[in-house]
Amino acid sequence: MTLETTFFNHTFANPFMNASGVHCMTVSELAELDRSSAGAFITKSCTLTERAGNPEPRYFDVPLGSINSMGLPNLGFSYYLDYALAYEKENEGKQPLFFSIAGMSAAGNLEMLTMIENSAFKGITELNLSCPNVPGKPQLAYDFDATFDLLKQVFARFTKPLGIKLPPYFDFAHFDQMAAILNQFPLTYVNSINSIGNGLYIDPKSDSVVIKPKDGFGGLGGEYVKPTALANVRAFYTRLNPEIKIIGTGGIRNGQDAYEHLLCGATMLQIGTELHKEGPAIFDRITKELAVIMEEKGYDSIAEFRGKLKTMNE
Ligand code: RRO
């Protein structure tokens, strides 16, 4: 029995990764992910220049998940590109690195992509179109025309492997429209979902919000979001060209959650809220739990059940 997963011409030991933003801001956090049992890992979404992000408290664990309004704090594009190039030099032949960018404008994204294109970077770039937390900046992927225009410009200059991080959608019309746009581009993957934007959590004792930015509004993660994440993974798996793989993110806390994302069609799996709660040791626990479920069901590999969700009309 194996959890090995082939994605972008590479066989990863297992499908698990961190979700960008969790445990990946600094070189020392990234080194901990590298030493963990995760099959791969990704850097914090970055901007051209360093950002302090929103005022604290800006991340809060709640009983059914988390709420955050980090506001894109990061150490700047060059910090992560320098790390990525050094990592690749030291780890030739190891699994490719995922590199997340989230420009403050289309021009910022195109500038970072041009620098990645012209660098020696050999890994996979994730373009985050779904940060819900920068005051005054709506999530780009909720604007279908702007998403199409940006991807057109991106693929006119960028030839390395590229995936995009999407927000959750909640209507079949939106799944259809977004899939029709994405199918026009040679994307390596689509990552669904980012946090459910702009939730509001109230502390019952104090009658107060629990994070400071945006009067308490923030992106939801964890148990709250799993059904929405599974729906988005399934909706894109059944609509996108098969060359475009799906990374499933949202509400993965245990082996069963991971198994469900794989049944819906995900190839790689990312963990945010639960990684924040447990630290990188989660990857040991969850790989074992997934292996136990596969054994109970008689599967030797993920490929045997990926995408094979049953519906009631068959
Ligand atoms: O930094 C953040 O506030 C943040 C980002 Br960029 C994102 O993509 N998703 C999220 O929940 N928080």
Side-chain angles (χ1 to χ4, degrees):
M1 122 105 68
T2 176
L3 297 186
E4 280 184 354
T5 298
T6 301
F7 180 86
F8 167 60
N9 305 328
H10 185 88
T11 300
F12 297 85
N14 64 67
F16 294 105
M17 304 176 60
N18 64 307
S20 178
V22 180
H23 215 93
C24 58
M25 175 104 89
T26 64
V27 165
S28 72
E29 287 178 327
L30 290 160
E32 283 175 14
L33 291 176
D34 189 22
R35 286 196 296 272
S36 79
S37 300
F41 59 101
I42 184 166
T43 55
K44 167 70 183 166
S45 295
C46 66
T47 46
L48 273 169
T49 53
E50 184 173 351
R51 283 172 56 85
N54 293 339
E56 295 179 341
R58 58 192 184 180
Y59 186 106
F60 200 87
D61 284 313
V62 299
L64 294 179
S66 63
I67 183 165
N68 90 85
S69 183
M70 303 297 288
L72 204 34
N74 74 91
L75 296 163
F77 175 80
S78 302
Y79 178 91
Y80 300 101
L81 188 61
D82 289 350
Y83 166 78
L85 297 177
Y87 172 87
E88 287 185 341
K89 226 176 194 170
E90 277 166 31
N91 296 286
E92 262 202 66
K94 239 179 123 182
Q95 80 274 3
L97 184 69
F98 288 68
F99 188 99
S100 174
I101 64 168
M104 298 298 287
S105 63
N109 279 321
L110 295 171
E111 200 175 330
M112 287 190 280
L113 288 169
T114 301
M115 288 192 280
I116 296 170
E117 177 79 10
N118 294 334
S119 76
F121 182 60
K122 293 192 200 64
I124 304 164
T125 303
E126 178 166 295
L127 175 60
N128 181 357
L129 301 179
S130 49
C131 175
N133 300 328
V134 178
K137 295 250 175 229
Q139 295 170 73
L140 189 91
Y142 283 145
D143 181 334
F144 294 89
D145 293 340
T147 299
F148 176 77
D149 288 345
L150 178 62
L151 291 177
K152 234 181 141 180
Q153 293 185 74
V154 164
F155 284 104
R157 71 198 72 200
F158 196 72
T159 62
K160 294 183 176 182
L162 184 87
I164 54 171
K165 179 84 170 269
L166 292 179
Y169 299 98
F170 303 93
D171 196 287
F172 273 48
H174 295 158
F175 293 140
D176 291 344
Q177 281 175 50
M178 187 44 77
I181 290 170
L182 301 179
N183 275 332
Q184 297 174 54
F185 298 101
L187 286 160
T188 299
Y189 71 87
V190 159
N191 185 346
S192 283
I193 58 171
N194 207 321
S195 43
I196 296 186
N198 296 302
L200 189 62
Y201 185 86
I202 298 172
D203 176 354
K205 286 208 185 89
S206 63
D207 293 356
S208 168
V209 302
V210 295
I211 55 174
K212 184 168 179 184
K214 294 173 67 178
D215 289 335
F217 284 67
L220 302 178
E223 209 174 330
Y224 285 124
V225 313
K226 188 179 78 169
T228 298
L230 293 175
N232 276 262
V233 168
R234 188 67 184 167
F236 285 115
Y237 182 75
T238 52
R239 284 167 176 77
L240 292 178
N241 302 329
E243 303 84 61
I244 305 179
K245 301 299 172 208
I246 314 285
I247 296 185
T249 306
I252 300 179
R253 295 183 302 147
N254 56 40
Q256 178 61 29
D257 301 323
Y259 182 81
E260 290 172 15
H261 268 263
L262 294 166
L263 262 189
C264 286
T267 296
M268 301 292 282
L269 304 171
Q270 295 187 346
I271 305 179
T273 298
E274 199 62 26
L275 168 61
H276 189 271
K277 281 186 186 162
E278 287 181 41
I282 189 180
F283 295 111
D284 283 327
R285 174 175 71 76
I286 204 159
T287 47
K288 286 185 192 126
E289 289 176 2
L290 177 59
V292 167
I293 291 170
M294 286 170 56
E295 188 141 14
E296 281 168 5
K297 292 183 184 273
Y299 292 124
D300 292 326
S301 72
I302 292 170
E304 291 167 33
F305 64 92
R306 174 179 302 109
K308 304 230 166 99
L309 177 68
K310 294 179 192 159
T311 63
M312 295 169 76
N313 291 311
E314 285 156 12

